[in-house]
Amino acid sequence: MFRTHTCGELRISDINKQVTLAGWVQRSRKMGGMTFIDLRDRYGITQLVFNEESDAALCENANRLGREFVIRITGTVNERFSKNANIPTGDIEIIVSELHVLNAALTPPFTIEDNTDGGDDIRMKYRYLDLRRPSVRRNLELRHKMTIAVRQYLDKEGFIEVETPVLVGSTPEGARDFVVPSRMNPGQFYALPQSPQTLKQLLMVSGFDRYFQIAKCFRDEDLRADRQPEFTQIDCEMSFVEQDDIIEMFEGMTKYLFKEIRGVELEGQFLRMPWADAMKYYGSDKPDLRFGMKFVELMDVLKGHGFPVFDSAEYIGGICVEGAAHYTRKQLDALTEFVKRPQIGAKGMVYARVEKDGNVKSSVDKFYSQEVLQQMKEAFGAKADDLILILSGDNTMKTRKQLCELRLEMGNQLGLRDKNTFVCLWVVDFPMFEWSEQENRLMAMHHPFTHPKDEDVDLLDTDPAAVRADAYDMVINGVEVGGGSIRIHDPQLQAKMFEILGFTPEKAQEQFGFLMNAFKYGAPPHGGLAYGLDRWVSLFAGLDSIRDCIAFPKNNSGRDVMLDAPALLDPSQLEELNLVVDVKEK
Amino acid sequence: MFRTHTCGELRISDINKQVTLAGWVQRSRKMGGMTFIDLRDRYGITQLVFNEESDAALCENANRLGREFVIRITGTVNERFSKNANIPTGDIEIIVSELHVLNAALTPPFTIEDNTDGGDDIRMKYRYLDLRRPSVRRNLELRHKMTIAVRQYLDKEGFIEVETPVLVGSTPEGARDFVVPSRMNPGQFYALPQSPQTLKQLLMVSGFDRYFQIAKCFRDEDLRADRQPEFTQIDCEMSFVEQDDIIEMFEGMTKYLFKEIRGVELEGQFLRMPWADAMKYYGSDKPDLRFGMKFVELMDVLKGHGFPVFDSAEYIGGICVEGAAHYTRKQLDALTEFVKRPQIGAKGMVYARVEKDGNVKSSVDKFYSQEVLQQMKEAFGAKADDLILILSGDNTMKTRKQLCELRLEMGNQLGLRDKNTFVCLWVVDFPMFEWSEQENRLMAMHHPFTHPKDEDVDLLDTDPAAVRADAYDMVINGVEVGGGSIRIHDPQLQAKMFEILGFTPEKAQEQFGFLMNAFKYGAPPHGGLAYGLDRWVSLFAGLDSIRDCIAFPKNNSGRDVMLDAPALLDPSQLEELNLVVDVKEK
């Protein structure tokens, strides 16, 4: 037997017990004739004591232990003289009588502490050591707890988890697929699923009524920061439902998770904001509502007063930052630089301070009378000591997105984006289509099976770009944690949708035939959504990146540097797969 | 709103309620001026009634509904005149006042009934219709319940579910890997995991202590019956444990599952049978212990009496079939034919009946005196009316396997293999190595990380083929549902193991370097096991094949005939992947 207790378990009530513990040597220190060792396992740390006087040989052995050695000890639980209130086992220590080294350890390349001295690259190469750090392990414990809670909720609500295959067919109209050559079907390839979308719709055709799956999904995209080639979705679908049914069900799940995982009670209904409003008032389809600074449009107020920048603008809008009139010229210049960075791309920024006496002092005073500036103040509902920041541009959507970045930056600067405050909302009524400059045609914003809003169906013929969809995203603190839609179950409506998307009937049949055929055999009205598990866990964990809530993540080149994958194949393996590698010079 | 209730919900207590239901038309029949429709959803069937007299137009619409149409109706719950005790809703019917067709349906290519008229191929092509059959759906509901219960048990026991990656490196020394070309790393490939074996061992090095995962695994093997290229494991690993700790933990889980899923209380400890005994007494490493017929070896008794077949045999053994002396000559000839089939390969079978008076009458009476035959009877402990069946051969293991087939066949013929009786056992002490004729070397029977039994470690130098391992399988009713081992955590022992397996240190480093390196940084003693989820679900469901507990299985060529995958790739996709397909003529 390797242990009677874990390293997080013993308390003052265990005093005088003979115990056996096993774990890793966290640190070791000599004081006088005593050697103290912190023994660590997943459950905690327990202090071991070796006394040179009572057993010199044992103490000498203890002194030879290095960091991260794996040992087993037997000893007696003793009350500590100087207690450590910071750890649950801090009242006791073990007077060791037996010591066995289970495994030696090389000195790790970085310290196994929450504040480690290891950089990203080395931590990833030695991820198995990085995972020893309690902060990293806690993220994965949180992830485990979340999936347990998700399953509890959905099981209780009658959802069935169904595993869909990982070796599937290629799905067009999405991102790039990862593919898998088939040895048994020479020259042919499976694809890895970008999501179980079509399969879960087939399960609705099968009458499964309520389906979910915590499913691994794959996208062969050029990896931007915080993207992984494989990621995990909480994927859900329901039959005989309308948008409200789905929103209600998953608002319930969200509240359950917040309560179970974070101990937070979210009161009342989540706000539901039409996509058009989210863009208009926050310049984003995932507004962070932990703070205000709602956009105010100023075309009526500020255009036509002789300020050329505004006079030629298609959009003028701003935010009012409460109590920030103290911002110095230097700080304001820095903000101007911030919005002018290429990633944001604004041409400049106009600001105005509301002074103690109510007067407005702006950076464009020479073009505007105090009367106009007062109208502007009214538009914002600004008070004394507030700071007004204004952007303009010749493209409304682009300028709104710039203003969104400015708003988020002000939120950061003023500490309004507390990681322990959570504001959830639904963004609804997404546009059905978006124009693709690249493809020179309308593309499905969500996917081609998304149901248009009933009241907009007539617009499909006359003004498809104006059609809104029964599509919805759940947004928490400015992070899109999930989204979905009601699906089209009417074959005629689906055919029209493909037509608008530029599919010939033949091409639609070729690419979506199996789904369209299935729908001919009695498809129920249905809809669903999918949450990004990685993102949600990182939100709950207060992480900025999804990487640290994934056990073995890949780097930005899609490499697992620990496993050294991907790698070259054995030529015989390629031959079996009927493949020749032909890497072109670049 | 599509429904107020499901089709399985209404009872006599709901009479006179106005309700709305939605579902599929299971069947329709006209009787006099009435039309009856069985409306089906996942939850059950409810009878709808349309009365021509009270609403002729509505009734006419109802008469036009075809099988599998999706409809929504509103009506009043009514007590049935002739109740149907076979279904929970059989006391009531709905007098329909409104009918909406939500979707029409083509006539399905086979009947949506438990006893369908559809063959395997057509059911797989239209799997989304096949899944509508309650018997198939119930298998997937069972699978869902099992995974929920597995997680409940393991979570309670402190296991953390950790998702390991699907895009990993190739693992040698196993079956063939499926591979995934990397576009971002030209010419290089990921592999899909055959199991998370090495990653879960790394998690033990990381101190996760108790890990599990319900994990999709992949093997590119030529598919025999009942193999799938992707399958699901309940994968578990624990640190600071010995074999008994693991057996106890997972015996507990097994009992929990039997209780939760099947309502069966398994009493007492499972039997633990050394592999050598399993082979000696049942000719199998997964004996079905629902019935007896333990092998009896007869070399001492029957050899050297002039019967040439036995005199030249390396093995003579048999089973005693209780009360089967009534088997006719014709039945016994059929059994002889059975063991002589090429799949089994015995040369012949000797039989003996114990007559009412205790005399033994055998098919080889001319070679044996009644005295010898009585000795044989004693060896079996046979009684009057018992039937003794004997095989012999020049290879002990081969003959035992033949005798195993005969035993199982007798179990089948006598109805001793009841699908609702469950006998679980652990087969332990597997051999460490097995000789590979193909490779002309010792191969790891389990895998190269398996720990030899402490008492056999010395044999590694002198007689490696005799070394037993700390490896164990869980067997239920003759099905291996899971297995695992204690792993080697000592780098020196691991190095010796690689040496015996014929790896040079360089090759071992190349293939297992990341794991061996990790072990240098403090690996705890650890071990684990993995269950085959598909197989276990099919056992609980009483299925002969794993296929019907998988939502979208592949056929014996590894094809998904519904999705028509795998398929040819677009040439541009191949080019992006730096691949050329080169299918050789056969």
Side-chain angles (χ1 to χ4, degrees):
Chain A
M1 196 195 36
F2 284 104
R3 62 187 176 197
T4 55
H5 297 77
T6 70
C7 296
E9 199 173 348
L10 294 166
R11 298 287 182 277
I12 198 96
S13 56
D14 296 304
I15 279 173
N16 292 328
K17 276 188 191 158
Q18 164 115 338
V19 298
T20 300
L21 301 183
W24 286 261
V25 172
Q26 174 75 24
R27 75 171 66 76
S28 160
R29 56 199 182 282
K30 285 187 70 160
M31 286 173 69
M34 312 281 273
T35 296
F36 296 93
I37 285 180
D38 283 350
L39 189 67
R40 185 196 72 233
D41 66 12
R42 183 182 119 197
Y43 311 95
I45 282 181
T46 298
Q47 178 167 291
L48 312 179
V49 186
F50 299 82
N51 191 332
E52 197 177 330
E53 248 175 57
S54 57
D55 191 338
L58 185 70
C59 196
E60 207 184 307
N61 286 339
N63 289 335
R64 277 200 291 264
L65 297 172
R67 273 204 286 144
E68 301 303 316
F69 273 47
V70 186
I71 62 171
R72 184 186 66 195
I73 61 95
T74 296
T76 308
V77 183
N78 188 46
E79 182 167 4
R80 274 210 218 178
F81 180 70
S82 60
K83 299 194 169 55
N84 179 351
N86 296 322
I87 58 172
T89 60
D91 289 349
I92 59 98
E93 61 192 6
I94 314 291
I95 311 290
V96 177
S97 54
E98 278 177 53
L99 164 66
H100 295 274
V101 175
L102 296 172
N103 233 333
L106 298 179
T107 304
F110 49 87
T111 55
I112 310 297
E113 309 266 0
D114 280 352
N115 287 313
T116 182
D117 56 355
D120 253 25
D121 291 350
I122 192 123
R123 291 198 298 110
M124 287 304 135
K125 182 165 165 54
Y126 296 91
R127 180 66 164 172
Y128 45 87
L129 299 180
D130 193 36
L131 288 170
R132 285 186 188 168
R133 298 194 301 126
S135 55
V136 183
R137 199 196 55 236
R138 273 194 298 268
N139 297 334
L140 294 174
E141 286 172 346
L142 177 74
R143 186 183 180 106
H144 165 69
K145 275 191 207 139
M146 273 197 63
T147 58
I148 290 277
V150 165
R151 288 187 167 101
Q152 269 167 353
Y153 180 86
L154 293 175
D155 179 55
K156 198 172 64 64
E157 293 290 344
F159 286 77
I160 301 176
E161 185 164 24
V162 180
E163 272 183 76
T164 55
V166 171
L167 298 172
V168 296
S170 211
T171 47
E173 190 75 354
R176 225 183 257 105
D177 287 320
F178 281 106
V179 297
V180 180
S182 166
R183 183 180 52 85
M184 293 177 76
N185 300 273
Q188 301 189 17
F189 293 75
Y190 303 98
L192 303 182
Q194 295 184 31
S195 87
Q197 180 65 35
T198 48
L199 290 165
K200 73 176 172 176
Q201 292 194 246
L202 289 181
L203 286 172
M204 294 303 105
V205 174
S206 298
F208 271 64
D209 209 77
R210 293 180 169 196
Y211 143 93
F212 83 102
Q213 186 181 190
I214 300 187
K216 198 57 91 73
C217 304
F218 306 85
R219 275 180 209 168
D220 183 12
E221 292 176 306
D222 297 320
L223 301 178
R224 282 180 274 159
D226 221 25
R227 282 269 180 93
Q228 288 281 319
E230 51 180 303
F231 56 97
T232 305
Q233 280 188 356
I234 307 169
D235 190 50
C236 307
E237 196 81 3
M238 303 171 76
S239 287
F240 301 115
V241 289
E242 290 160 333
Q243 177 168 307
D244 277 2
D245 300 309
I246 291 182
I247 284 187
E248 198 179 313
M249 177 64 69
F250 290 97
E251 199 162 306
M253 184 173 100
T254 305
K255 289 180 173 180
Y256 182 76
L257 288 177
F258 267 97
K259 180 132 188 269
E260 290 290 307
I261 308 299
R262 292 282 319 214
V264 172
E265 292 265 11
L266 298 175
E267 303 288 346
Q269 270 203 343
F270 295 177
L271 185 67
R272 298 184 196 178
M273 186 184 289
W275 177 88
D277 284 1
M279 298 310 295
K280 184 177 168 77
Y281 296 120
Y282 300 96
S284 168
D285 57 6
K286 40 179 195 280
D288 183 349
L289 297 191
R290 281 175 294 184
F291 64 105
M293 304 188 204
K294 201 167 157 178
F295 295 1
V296 172
E297 297 192 357
L298 300 163
M299 293 285 279
D300 293 348
V301 181
L302 296 183
K303 203 164 175 166
H305 293 269
F307 177 42
V309 173
F310 284 179
D311 286 356
S312 66
E314 189 191 291
Y315 176 88
I316 311 167
I319 55 175
C320 171
V321 189
E322 264 185 74
H326 59 80
Y327 259 57
T328 62
R329 176 66 191 260
K330 197 175 160 196
Q331 285 176 301
L332 290 162
D333 285 349
L335 281 180
T336 305
E337 287 313 305
F338 172 81
V339 297
K340 285 168 81 176
R341 292 188 312 165
Q343 305 95 301
I344 299 183
K347 295 241 170 64
M349 185 185 79
V350 167
Y351 58 84
R353 298 189 184 87
V354 184
E355 302 191 317
K356 297 266 180 243
D357 59 8
N359 276 342
V360 176
K361 196 96 186 77
S362 85
S363 56
V364 286
D365 273 2
K366 65 172 166 177
F367 298 107
Y368 294 96
S369 65
Q370 188 59 226
E371 192 192 338
V372 174
L373 293 175
Q374 287 297 323
Q375 283 171 25
M376 179 182 82
K377 188 177 93 174
E378 293 302 314
F380 281 106
K383 310 174 310 296
D385 291 335
D386 289 354
L387 175 69
I388 289 168
L389 302 174
I390 300 170
L391 298 183
S392 67
D394 53 11
N395 178 312
T396 299
M397 276 302 179
K398 275 191 188 153
T399 313
R400 282 173 173 164
K401 283 176 187 168
Q402 293 158 359
L403 192 54
C404 168
E405 295 295 334
L406 179 61
R407 174 179 175 270
L408 293 175
E409 175 63 17
M410 292 312 295
N412 286 337
Q413 291 195 7
L414 299 174
L416 301 174
R417 305 181 73 190
D418 174 13
K419 284 187 176 171
N420 292 311
T421 301
F422 295 97
V423 181
C424 308
L425 88 150
W426 293 98
V427 175
V428 297
D429 302 349
F430 274 76
M432 187 74 216
F433 306 103
E434 57 188 344
W435 182 258
S436 164
E437 297 291 344
Q438 204 183 333
E439 304 250 337
N440 199 35
R441 64 170 173 106
L442 288 177
M443 304 275 282
M445 193 159 186
H446 198 61
H447 56 60
F449 315 115
T450 305
H451 199 284
K453 291 195 89 65
D454 283 334
E455 57 266 43
D456 289 0
V457 165
D458 288 344
L459 291 172
L460 284 172
D461 291 316
T462 55
D463 184 8
V467 173
R468 294 165 304 160
D470 282 333
Y472 33 81
D473 275 358
M474 181 184 276
V475 175
I476 306 180
N477 292 2
V479 173
E480 180 214 321
V481 292
S485 64
I486 299 295
R487 327 301 181 186
I488 298 170
H489 65 278
D490 172 4
Q492 277 161 352
L493 185 56
Q494 187 66 65
K496 168 166 282 181
M497 201 59 60
F498 281 132
E499 193 191 318
I500 294 170
L501 291 169
F503 285 78
T504 60
E506 294 70 32
K507 197 174 158 212
Q509 184 61 37
E510 183 194 319
Q511 300 202 334
F512 302 102
F514 69 95
L515 190 62
M516 286 165 65
N517 289 343
F519 276 30
K520 290 180 189 152
Y521 290 95
H526 62 287
L529 88 182
Y531 288 99
L533 177 64
D534 309 298
R535 204 159 297 279
W536 205 345
V537 173
S538 57
L539 187 84
F540 270 9
L543 298 170
D544 294 318
S545 155
I546 61 171
R547 204 171 283 182
D548 265 342
C549 65
I550 296 173
F552 300 105
K554 295 189 173 56
N555 72 9
N556 281 345
S557 318
R559 293 199 70 80
D560 185 320
V561 293
M562 179 189 75
L563 298 176
D564 199 19
L568 296 176
L569 277 196
D570 203 81
S572 66
Q573 221 171 336
L574 283 171
E575 193 168 339
E576 268 194 329
L577 295 171
N578 302 284
L579 289 180
V580 175
V581 168
D582 178 26
V583 180
K584 278 139 206 110
E585 299 287 328
K586 290 209 173 147
Chain B
M1 195 196 42
F2 284 106
R3 61 188 177 196
T4 55
H5 296 78
T6 70
C7 295
E9 201 172 350
L10 294 166
R11 297 289 182 275
I12 197 94
S13 56
D14 295 305
I15 278 173
N16 292 328
K17 276 188 193 158
Q18 166 114 337
V19 298
T20 299
L21 301 183
W24 285 261
V25 172
Q26 174 77 24
R27 73 170 68 76
S28 160
R29 56 199 183 283
K30 285 186 71 161
M31 286 173 69
M34 315 281 273
T35 297
F36 296 92
I37 285 180
D38 283 351
L39 189 67
R40 185 195 72 232
D41 67 10
R42 183 183 119 198
Y43 311 95
I45 282 181
T46 298
Q47 178 167 292
L48 312 180
V49 185
F50 299 81
N51 190 332
E52 197 177 332
E53 249 175 57
S54 57
D55 191 337
L58 185 70
C59 195
E60 207 185 308
N61 285 339
N63 289 335
R64 278 200 291 264
L65 296 172
R67 273 204 287 145
E68 302 302 319
F69 273 46
V70 186
I71 62 172
R72 183 185 68 196
I73 61 93
T74 296
T76 308
V77 183
N78 187 45
E79 182 168 1
R80 275 210 217 178
F81 180 71
S82 60
K83 300 194 168 52
N84 179 349
N86 295 322
I87 60 173
T89 61
D91 289 349
I92 59 96
E93 62 193 4
I94 313 292
I95 310 292
V96 177
S97 55
E98 278 178 52
L99 164 66
H100 295 275
V101 175
L102 297 171
N103 233 333
L106 298 178
T107 304
F110 50 86
T111 55
I112 309 298
E113 310 265 0
D114 280 352
N115 286 314
T116 182
D117 55 356
D120 254 24
D121 290 350
I122 192 123
R123 291 198 298 110
M124 286 304 135
K125 183 165 166 51
Y126 295 90
R127 181 64 164 173
Y128 45 86
L129 299 180
D130 194 36
L131 289 171
R132 285 186 188 167
R133 298 193 302 126
S135 55
V136 183
R137 198 196 56 237
R138 273 194 298 268
N139 296 335
L140 295 174
E141 287 173 346
L142 178 74
R143 185 182 180 107
H144 164 69
K145 275 190 208 140
M146 273 195 67
T147 58
I148 290 277
V150 165
R151 289 188 167 100
Q152 269 168 354
Y153 180 86
L154 293 174
D155 179 56
K156 196 173 65 64
E157 294 290 346
F159 286 77
I160 300 176
E161 186 165 23
V162 180
E163 272 183 76
T164 55
V166 172
L167 298 172
V168 296
S170 210
T171 47
E173 189 75 354
R176 225 182 259 108
D177 286 320
F178 281 105
V179 297
V180 180
S182 166
R183 185 181 50 87
M184 294 178 75
N185 301 274
Q188 300 189 20
F189 293 73
Y190 303 99
L192 303 182
Q194 295 183 30
S195 86
Q197 180 65 34
T198 49
L199 291 165
K200 72 177 175 178
Q201 292 193 245
L202 290 181
L203 287 171
M204 294 304 103
V205 174
S206 298
F208 271 65
D209 207 79
R210 293 181 169 194
Y211 144 93
F212 83 103
Q213 184 181 192
I214 300 187
K216 198 55 92 74
C217 305
F218 305 85
R219 274 179 211 168
D220 183 12
E221 292 176 308
D222 297 318
L223 301 177
R224 282 181 273 157
D226 223 25
R227 282 268 180 93
Q228 288 281 318
E230 51 180 303
F231 55 97
T232 305
Q233 280 187 359
I234 305 169
D235 191 50
C236 308
E237 196 81 3
M238 302 171 76
S239 287
F240 301 115
V241 289
E242 291 160 332
Q243 177 168 307
D244 277 1
D245 300 308
I246 292 183
I247 284 187
E248 199 179 315
M249 177 63 71
F250 290 97
E251 197 161 307
M253 184 174 101
T254 306
K255 288 180 174 181
Y256 182 76
L257 287 177
F258 266 97
K259 180 131 187 270
E260 289 290 307
I261 308 298
R262 292 281 318 214
V264 172
E265 292 267 11
L266 297 175
E267 304 288 347
Q269 270 203 344
F270 295 176
L271 185 67
R272 298 185 196 177
M273 185 184 288
W275 177 88
D277 285 359
M279 298 311 295
K280 184 177 167 77
Y281 295 119
Y282 300 96
S284 168
D285 57 5
K286 41 179 194 283
D288 182 348
L289 296 191
R290 279 174 296 183
F291 63 104
M293 304 188 204
K294 202 168 158 177
F295 296 180
V296 172
E297 296 191 359
L298 301 163
M299 292 286 279
D300 293 348
V301 181
L302 297 183
K303 203 165 174 164
H305 293 268
F307 178 41
V309 173
F310 285 178
D311 285 355
S312 65
E314 190 191 292
Y315 177 88
I316 310 168
I319 56 175
C320 171
V321 189
E322 262 185 77
H326 59 80
Y327 259 56
T328 62
R329 176 65 191 261
K330 198 175 158 196
Q331 285 175 303
L332 290 162
D333 285 349
L335 281 179
T336 305
E337 286 314 305
F338 172 81
V339 296
K340 285 168 79 175
R341 291 187 314 163
Q343 305 95 301
I344 300 183
K347 295 241 170 63
M349 183 185 80
V350 167
Y351 58 84
R353 297 189 184 90
V354 184
E355 302 191 319
K356 298 264 179 247
D357 59 9
N359 275 345
V360 176
K361 195 95 186 76
S362 86
S363 57
V364 286
D365 274 1
K366 65 175 166 172
F367 298 107
Y368 294 97
S369 64
Q370 187 60 227
E371 192 191 340
V372 174
L373 292 176
Q374 286 297 323
Q375 283 172 25
M376 178 182 82
K377 188 178 92 173
E378 292 302 314
F380 281 106
K383 313 174 309 294
D385 291 333
D386 288 353
L387 174 69
I388 289 167
L389 303 175
I390 301 169
L391 298 184
S392 67
D394 53 11
N395 178 313
T396 299
M397 275 302 178
K398 274 191 190 155
T399 313
R400 282 174 174 164
K401 283 175 188 169
Q402 292 158 359
L403 193 54
C404 168
E405 295 296 334
L406 179 61
R407 174 180 175 269
L408 293 176
E409 174 63 17
M410 291 312 295
N412 286 338
Q413 290 194 7
L414 299 175
L416 302 173
R417 305 181 75 193
D418 175 13
K419 284 185 176 171
N420 292 310
T421 301
F422 296 97
V423 180
C424 308
L425 88 150
W426 293 98
V427 176
V428 297
D429 301 351
F430 274 76
M432 188 74 214
F433 305 102
E434 56 188 345
W435 182 260
S436 164
E437 297 291 346
Q438 204 183 333
E439 304 250 336
N440 200 34
R441 65 170 173 106
L442 288 177
M443 305 275 281
M445 194 159 188
H446 197 60
H447 57 60
F449 314 115
T450 306
H451 199 284
K453 291 194 89 64
D454 283 333
E455 57 266 44
D456 290 359
V457 165
D458 289 343
L459 292 172
L460 284 171
D461 293 315
T462 55
D463 184 8
V467 173
R468 294 164 305 159
D470 282 334
Y472 32 81
D473 275 357
M474 182 185 277
V475 175
I476 306 180
N477 292 2
V479 174
E480 180 214 322
V481 292
S485 65
I486 298 295
R487 328 298 182 185
I488 297 170
H489 66 278
D490 171 4
Q492 278 161 353
L493 185 55
Q494 187 66 64
K496 169 165 281 182
M497 201 58 62
F498 282 132
E499 192 191 317
I500 294 170
L501 291 169
F503 285 77
T504 61
E506 295 72 30
K507 196 175 159 211
Q509 185 61 37
E510 182 194 319
Q511 300 203 335
F512 301 102
F514 69 96
L515 190 62
M516 285 163 67
N517 289 343
F519 275 30
K520 290 178 188 152
Y521 290 94
H526 62 288
L529 88 181
Y531 287 99
L533 177 63
D534 308 297
R535 204 160 297 279
W536 204 345
V537 173
S538 57
L539 188 83
F540 270 9
L543 296 170
D544 294 318
S545 157
I546 62 170
R547 204 171 281 182
D548 265 342
C549 66
I550 296 172
F552 300 105
K554 294 190 173 52
N555 72 9
N556 280 346
S557 318
R559 292 199 70 79
D560 185 320
V561 292
M562 179 189 73
L563 297 176
D564 198 20
L568 297 176
L569 277 196
D570 203 79
S572 65
Q573 220 171 336
L574 283 171
E575 194 168 338
E576 268 194 330
L577 295 170
N578 303 284
L579 289 180
V580 175
V581 168
D582 178 26
V583 180
K584 277 140 204 109
E585 300 286 328
K586 292 214 172 140

